[in-house]
Amino acid sequence: MALASVSASSALAVTANCCGEGVTTWNRRGLTNFTSTSSFSCSRSMRRWRVSCTIPSKTGMATPAEAPPRAEAPRMGAECVVVGAGISGLCTAQALATRHGMWAQDSILVTEAGDRVGGNITTVENSDGYLWEEGPNSFQPSDAVLTAAIDAGLRDDLVLGDPDAPRFVLWDGRLRPVPAKLTDLPFFDLMSFPGKIRAGAGALGLRPPPPGHEESVEEFVRRNLGDEVFERLIEPFCSGVYAGDPTKLSMKAAFGKVWRLEQNGGSIIGGTLKAIQERNNNSNPPRDPRLPKPKGQTVGSFRRGLKMLPNAIHSMLASKVKLSWKLKCIGKSEKEGYILLYETPDGPMSVWARSVVLTVPSYIASNILRPLSSEAADALSKFYYPPVAAVTVSYEEGAIRKECQINGKLQGFGQLHPRSQGIETLGTIYSSSLFPNRAPPGRVLLLNYIGGSTNTGIISKSESELVEAVDRDLRKMLIREGAEEPLVLGVRTWPRAIPQFLVGHLDILDTATSALSNAGLQGLFLGGNYVAGVALGRCVEGAQQTALQVSQFLANYARV
């Protein structure tokens, strides 16, 4: 494969140009001024690619005598460059290698601007026996996630929570268990008897018909299942998962599987029965025998925390992953593929790629793509990411209120707090109860999330103020009066934490992808949580789907 070649001075100048400034740059003919709308053209020789912009301004050229000596930058090329080494980028590259046979040295390149892999996955541990997460805390053990873990060699490191462990919602001053299965529905006290009847009737189809517009989560749930289901179950769930406002979140985009049940079956129950019937009638391929079979509705992690997955994939991909590579711009080459210009620890680098997958946040992708498609860039700039803080604290076991203990201990997945209950904290994960070896004996470990769309003011709070807010909330429901002050282990504020799947989200995403296609940018793919979904499992599933699309694109190209 021919590789990209560009001088150090040319790389820096073209980089500035692609980032939106009219600059002066070097090409083989000398010094030339170019406008900010210029693109790359690459002339292919037997040994290298040369980068030069194609739209000169009217100022003309300088004399060859003015040109500095050329310093050849290292050359590199790949069939696919994945930009971003978060879980989406790593799993895209992993699937390309393991599922689509792209193990060759020049097949895949993963570039990451930071100095580590994993993105928002941030596992921390100390010498006192604590291990905690400051980003995502767990995953649902879908086949996609389990496949990624097994392919990375982590089968023996998987840990799954107890599927019978209760989940709680705060209502009227008490932590009340959420029904875990159908047989729990008649007995749980989170909802009133009339509220349960309303929810059951609506699920069967005795409710108003769908309106003629895209519904928010609030509109869909109140119409189908009633006010109590929304206020006591779905609203706190939206706060806990999206850190979002359900009056603005799109039901179709944020909870598409449930939305499609009504669309396909006329009601939620009708759609569920139809989905079961279709599943039974279709002959699905056999399940991978390597995958474990989780029991019930549980969540998973790894023995040493979530960081084990990105670290293991990094080790597997080895030299295909480049850290501290900061992408300055992407240009479309004259004949095929793309040229990517980087700042690296070793100086400027030019990379040719037949295909590119952007798994960076949408606001970063917007900046990168603006010189190629302003329409796509404008669309991607519209997605909103509110701030969220993860506050990890530890108390002695005796600090837990007696009424919150089960068999003398704190047990369960955690608790969620509706905004109507006067609690600032969004939710609390019982980390030391959920997975083993997260806290030393005699201590409980609690991961608390605070902030989100309805509380953006946390961005201006100090760490001590965030800890004070969390501790104050916990003492209203979980921690007994007079308990010792908590041991503070970690406070991490994410200024742009979780993309919000607001009403219109899918239309905006479609606008972006259509704009790329209309601009002739075939082979350039968008990935990440704003595309696939915010949960870790959805990111892995989306990455594997993107890898399939890339593989099909490359296969079709090879046949042309």
Side-chain angles (χ1 to χ4, degrees):
M1 176 182 295
L3 302 177
S5 172
V6 65
S7 71
S9 58
S10 177
L12 290 174
V14 175
T15 289
N17 186 45
C18 284
C19 293
E21 299 293 336
V23 300
T24 301
T25 187
W26 290 97
N27 64 17
R28 194 174 183 181
R29 297 168 297 180
L31 185 64
T32 309
N33 290 327
F34 296 99
T35 67
S36 61
T37 58
S38 60
S39 61
F40 293 111
S41 67
C42 297
S43 60
R44 188 173 188 177
S45 67
M46 292 182 64
R47 300 191 58 184
R48 63 178 57 116
W49 290 79
R50 183 169 59 254
V51 177
S52 64
C53 295
T54 59
I55 309 177
S57 71
K58 297 179 180 180
T59 57
M61 304 178 187
T63 65
E66 296 174 281
R70 292 177 61 86
E72 289 288 337
R75 300 170 295 171
M76 188 170 291
E79 289 294 298
C80 179
V81 171
V82 179
V83 181
I87 199 63
S88 294
L90 290 171
C91 286
T92 299
Q94 180 196 41
L96 285 171
T98 60
R99 301 292 162 181
H100 303 287
M102 294 178 61
W103 272 114
Q105 184 63 34
D106 290 341
S107 292
I108 308 168
L109 183 68
V110 181
T111 63
E112 166 59 41
D115 60 0
R116 68 174 183 88
V117 299
N120 288 351
I121 293 178
T122 309
T123 306
V124 187
E125 53 186 320
N126 64 18
S127 58
D128 295 328
Y130 288 101
L131 186 150
W132 68 95
E133 306 286 354
E134 294 188 343
N137 66 85
S138 61
F139 56 82
Q140 289 199 338
S142 66
D143 282 0
V145 181
L146 295 176
T147 297
I150 300 303
D151 286 347
L154 295 178
R155 182 185 177 89
D156 294 337
D157 294 292
L158 277 166
V159 291
L160 300 176
D162 178 3
D164 296 324
R167 299 162 172 84
F168 300 94
V169 168
L170 177 70
W171 193 260
D172 283 343
R174 285 180 48 206
L175 292 172
R176 303 170 189 267
V178 174
K181 48 187 180 298
L182 287 176
T183 54
D184 295 339
L185 293 177
F187 307 105
F188 76 105
D189 67 350
L190 180 58
M191 289 174 57
S192 68
F193 182 73
K196 296 174 185 177
I197 294 297
R198 168 64 180 89
L204 288 169
L206 300 176
R207 82 294 182 249
H213 63 267
E214 181 178 358
E215 287 183 287
S216 68
V217 171
E218 179 184 26
E219 290 172 323
F220 179 93
V221 175
R222 286 190 188 275
R223 179 175 60 81
N224 274 279
L225 301 174
D227 295 341
E228 288 192 19
V229 170
F230 172 74
E231 294 165 358
R232 307 183 190 192
L233 284 170
I234 303 305
E235 189 273 336
F237 182 78
C238 288
S239 296
V241 174
Y242 279 90
D245 181 351
T247 67
K248 298 178 181 178
L249 288 173
S250 163
M251 188 68 194
K252 180 180 179 180
F255 302 103
K257 289 184 179 179
V258 178
W259 178 83
R260 283 189 290 273
L261 292 177
E262 183 186 28
Q263 297 294 308
N264 296 337
S267 68
I268 293 176
I269 294 296
T272 301
L273 295 175
K274 186 175 180 180
I276 293 173
Q277 183 180 31
E278 290 175 351
R279 187 166 59 245
N280 292 337
N281 292 337
N282 295 331
S283 56
N284 296 319
R287 189 171 185 264
D288 188 338
R290 302 176 305 154
L291 305 185
K293 296 181 179 179
K295 297 179 180 178
Q297 295 295 317
T298 187
V299 295
S301 184
F302 300 97
R303 181 175 51 85
R304 304 310 307 171
L306 290 179
K307 70 178 181 182
M308 291 191 75
L309 180 58
N311 287 349
I313 298 175
H314 182 196
S315 296
M316 182 181 74
L317 295 173
S319 62
K320 298 178 188 297
V321 179
K322 305 295 183 183
L323 300 180
S324 299
W325 277 40
K326 298 177 181 179
L327 177 63
K328 305 307 295 182
C329 59
I330 299 176
K332 196 161 189 323
S333 70
E334 187 176 63
K335 293 185 179 180
E336 57 183 17
Y338 299 87
I339 300 293
L340 298 88
L341 295 183
Y342 289 92
E343 288 182 0
T344 81
D346 299 319
M349 176 69 73
S350 167
V351 179
W352 174 87
R354 199 179 304 280
S355 60
V356 177
V357 181
L358 295 178
T359 66
V360 294
S362 63
Y363 49 88
I364 296 178
S366 173
N367 292 334
I368 292 171
L369 292 174
R370 186 161 296 282
L372 293 173
S373 171
S374 60
E375 184 181 1
D378 288 343
L380 293 175
S381 69
K382 294 179 180 178
F383 295 131
Y384 171 55
Y385 293 66
V388 175
V391 179
T392 304
V393 294
S394 173
Y395 297 86
E396 61 178 356
E397 284 186 339
I400 303 300
R401 293 185 181 187
K402 293 292 184 182
E403 65 268 25
C404 296
Q405 297 179 15
I406 300 175
N407 297 325
K409 290 186 177 182
L410 177 67
Q411 297 186 31
F413 282 83
Q415 57 193 55
L416 295 172
H417 315 135
R419 302 297 82 207
S420 62
Q421 299 304 293
I423 299 295
E424 187 175 3
T425 309
L426 297 171
T428 299
I429 306 296
Y430 304 163
S431 299
S432 53
S433 301
L434 188 54
F435 300 122
N437 304 317
R438 300 299 164 113
R443 306 289 298 187
V444 296
L445 183 67
L446 304 176
L447 168 58
N448 308 270
Y449 293 107
I450 185 171
S453 294
T454 59
N455 184 17
T456 58
I458 62 106
I459 196 68
S460 61
K461 289 189 175 182
S462 66
E463 291 188 1
S464 61
E465 289 174 326
L466 292 172
V467 171
E468 181 182 353
V470 166
D471 181 59
R472 181 175 60 247
D473 284 346
L474 290 174
R475 291 175 187 272
K476 295 178 181 178
M477 49 189 160
L478 186 66
I479 302 300
R480 64 175 174 80
E481 184 179 353
E484 65 175 10
E485 294 297 309
L487 171 64
V488 181
L489 293 166
V491 179
R492 171 66 68 93
T493 298
W494 301 93
R496 289 176 162 178
I498 303 172
Q500 299 298 289
F501 282 45
L502 305 179
V503 170
H505 180 96
L506 297 179
D507 291 335
I508 295 173
L509 185 59
D510 183 64
T511 297
T513 55
S514 297
L516 295 179
S517 178
N518 294 337
L521 301 174
Q522 285 74 28
L524 200 160
F525 300 88
L526 302 177
N529 58 3
Y530 72 94
V531 177
V534 302
L536 190 150
R538 286 296 301 130
C539 290
V540 176
E541 292 170 12
Q544 293 172 359
Q545 293 167 2
T546 300
L548 176 60
Q549 293 171 353
V550 171
S551 177
Q552 291 172 340
F553 168 79
L554 294 174
N556 290 335
Y557 182 89
R559 286 195 289 266
V560 175

